[in-house]
């Protein structure tokens, strides 16, 4: 008597990942479509020799859509959307492996691998001159206003010039890198009247100014480790005549008369002379003809 026995493959083994926990450091400037975790590292095996189906999800809010898998049967994880360190600097991905399709009604074994992604800030932005204003709440762009200062004609200042809205100062906006900034004047410095300290940004005079012409300096801030990362700010220096005397009023006390019931913006008249408006005048000996 010959008896044939056929052993049926029962789905009694779950898929197994090579590594259930994986960590990756991903530079912020990684190109889209770059593989973050290669297929071999996340391909699950199954003792039942079933076809494995994969699905990727994220556990951190507002970080979905950045990473994806190549296909339902190809678990290689790649970068789908460009990264921005200011939006998020880490996320956790869950890679599901199942031995039946999602739509299957058969009993299914599901296992999970955890992929921890840490974003590393890259040197992507040029220096910012401060103070500056971010546009449309976008932390990647910050616009600064020109600096303003003044010097006296025919007078040499030995101290750093006082500027508005503040001293010349720039920072590396990629703050985890925080590269050192150096300064230089690249335009508008007629006759080399001014110089800027490369390390501090302090603006000083090399010689006196003999004409009332203003200066429109172009000051460049450059990152030490990457000269291609630079910004240029405008510094307007006005040349004025020195003021030796403070202004003064013609009188110490002025007396005026106003009538009840007058509308707003009505004249106040001189006391004792209701036909002459009260005028308050100040004089300055530096400008005797004004």
């Amino acid at each position: 008597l010959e008896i044939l026995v056929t052993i049926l493959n029962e789905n009694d083994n779950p898929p197994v990942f090579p590594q259930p926990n994986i960590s990756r450091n991903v530079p912020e400037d990684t190109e889209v479509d770059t593989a973050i975790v290669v297929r071999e590292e996340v391909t699950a095996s199954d003792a039942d020799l079933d076809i494995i189906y994969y699905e990727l999800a994220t556990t951190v809010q507002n970080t979905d859509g950045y990473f994806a898998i190549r296909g339902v049967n190809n678990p290689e994880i790649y970068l789908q959307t460009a990264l921005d360190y200011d939006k998020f600097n880490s996320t956790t991905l869950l890679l599901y492996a199942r031995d039946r399709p999602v739509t299957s009604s058969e009993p299914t074994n599901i296992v999970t691998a955890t992929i921890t992604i840490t974003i590393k800030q890259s040197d992507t932005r040029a220096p910012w001159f401060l103070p500056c204003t971010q546009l449309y709440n976008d932390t990647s762009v910050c616009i600064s206003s020109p600096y303003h200062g003044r010097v006296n004609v025919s007078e040499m200042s030995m101290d750093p010039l006082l500027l508005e809205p503040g001293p010349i100062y720039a920072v590396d906006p990629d703050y985890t890198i925080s590269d050192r900034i150096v300064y230089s004047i690249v335009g508008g410095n007629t006759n080399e009247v001014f110089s800027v300290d490369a390390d501090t940004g302090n603006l000083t005079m090399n010689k006196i100014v003999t004409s009332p012409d203003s200066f429109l300096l172009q000051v460049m801030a450059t990152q030490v480790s990457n000269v291609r990362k630079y910004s240029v700010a405008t510094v307007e220096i006005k040349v004025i005549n020195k003021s030796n005397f403070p202004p003064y009023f013609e009188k110490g006390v002025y007396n005026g008369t106003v009538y009840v019931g007058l509308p707003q913006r009505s004249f106040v008249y001189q006391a004792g002379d209701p036909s002459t408006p009260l005028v308050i005048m100040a004089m300055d000996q530096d400008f005797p003809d004004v």
Side-chain angles (χ1 to χ4, degrees):
L1 179 62
E2 190 176 286
I3 301 174
L4 298 177
V5 178
T6 301
I7 299 174
L8 300 178
N9 188 11
E10 185 75 15
N11 184 19
D12 54 354
N13 292 288
V16 178
F17 279 109
Q19 303 176 63
N21 294 286
I22 298 175
S23 296
R24 285 290 183 273
N25 292 329
V26 181
E28 177 188 13
D29 58 352
T30 299
E31 293 185 2
V32 171
D33 203 44
T34 299
I36 305 302
V37 184
V38 296
R39 182 174 186 173
E40 292 73 19
E41 292 185 82
V42 286
T43 296
S45 60
D46 191 337
D48 300 318
L49 302 180
D50 292 319
I51 296 175
I52 306 300
Y53 302 86
Y54 299 93
E55 181 182 354
L56 187 68
T58 180
T59 63
V60 180
Q61 188 176 9
N62 298 326
T63 63
D64 54 325
Y66 286 89
F67 300 93
I69 56 176
R70 297 292 184 184
V72 67
N73 299 122
N74 183 352
E76 180 174 271
I77 299 173
Y78 70 99
L79 183 63
Q80 183 174 246
T81 303
L83 298 170
D84 186 343
Y85 184 85
D86 291 325
K87 291 183 178 178
F88 71 98
N89 52 41
S90 65
T91 188
T92 300
L93 307 176
L94 297 179
L95 180 62
Y96 298 97
R98 61 177 70 228
D99 52 16
R100 292 290 184 273
V102 176
T103 57
S104 175
S105 60
E106 299 180 33
T108 304
N109 295 307
I110 303 175
V111 294
T112 305
T114 302
I115 299 93
T116 301
I117 303 291
T118 301
I119 312 301
K120 296 296 183 181
Q121 191 171 39
S122 301
D123 190 8
T124 59
R125 293 176 290 189
W128 289 350
F129 281 96
L130 300 182
C132 65
T133 303
Q134 294 180 354
L135 296 182
Y136 315 114
N137 295 321
D138 185 353
T139 57
S140 63
V141 180
C142 201
I143 304 299
S144 61
S145 300
Y147 295 94
H148 300 275
R150 60 185 184 181
V151 296
N152 294 323
V153 67
S154 301
E155 183 175 299
M156 179 78 171
S157 174
M158 306 305 296
D159 298 320
L161 302 184
L162 297 178
L163 303 176
E164 294 293 339
I168 297 173
Y169 182 62
V171 297
D172 181 359
D174 300 312
Y175 51 87
T176 63
I177 300 173
S178 193
D179 198 2
R180 187 166 69 90
I181 305 297
V182 293
Y183 305 90
S184 60
I185 299 176
V186 294
N189 194 15
T190 306
N191 298 325
E192 303 296 321
V193 172
F194 302 97
S195 62
V196 65
D197 188 286
D199 296 316
T200 65
N202 285 336
L203 189 66
T204 54
M205 297 184 68
N206 297 322
K207 59 183 72 171
I208 63 173
V209 182
T210 58
S211 67
D213 298 329
S214 297
F215 291 81
L216 201 61
L217 306 177
Q218 303 295 318
V219 176
M220 183 169 68
T222 309
Q223 293 181 204
V224 170
S225 65
N226 188 353
V227 295
R228 293 184 179 181
K229 291 291 189 299
Y230 68 89
S231 296
V232 177
T234 300
V235 183
E236 182 184 15
I237 303 296
K238 293 184 177 181
V239 182
I240 62 173
N241 291 317
K242 183 178 180 180
S243 179
N244 296 310
F245 303 97
Y248 63 92
F249 288 105
E250 291 180 316
K251 299 179 182 179
V253 177
Y254 289 84
N255 296 306
T257 299
V258 65
Y259 298 97
V260 176
L262 290 177
Q264 293 182 1
R265 305 183 67 86
S266 296
F267 284 120
V268 176
Y269 293 92
Q270 293 184 16
D273 187 358
S275 63
T276 303
L278 179 63
V279 179
I280 299 175
M281 293 288 293
M283 306 291 289
D284 191 330
Q285 295 183 40
D286 291 310
F287 307 96
D289 297 329
V290 178

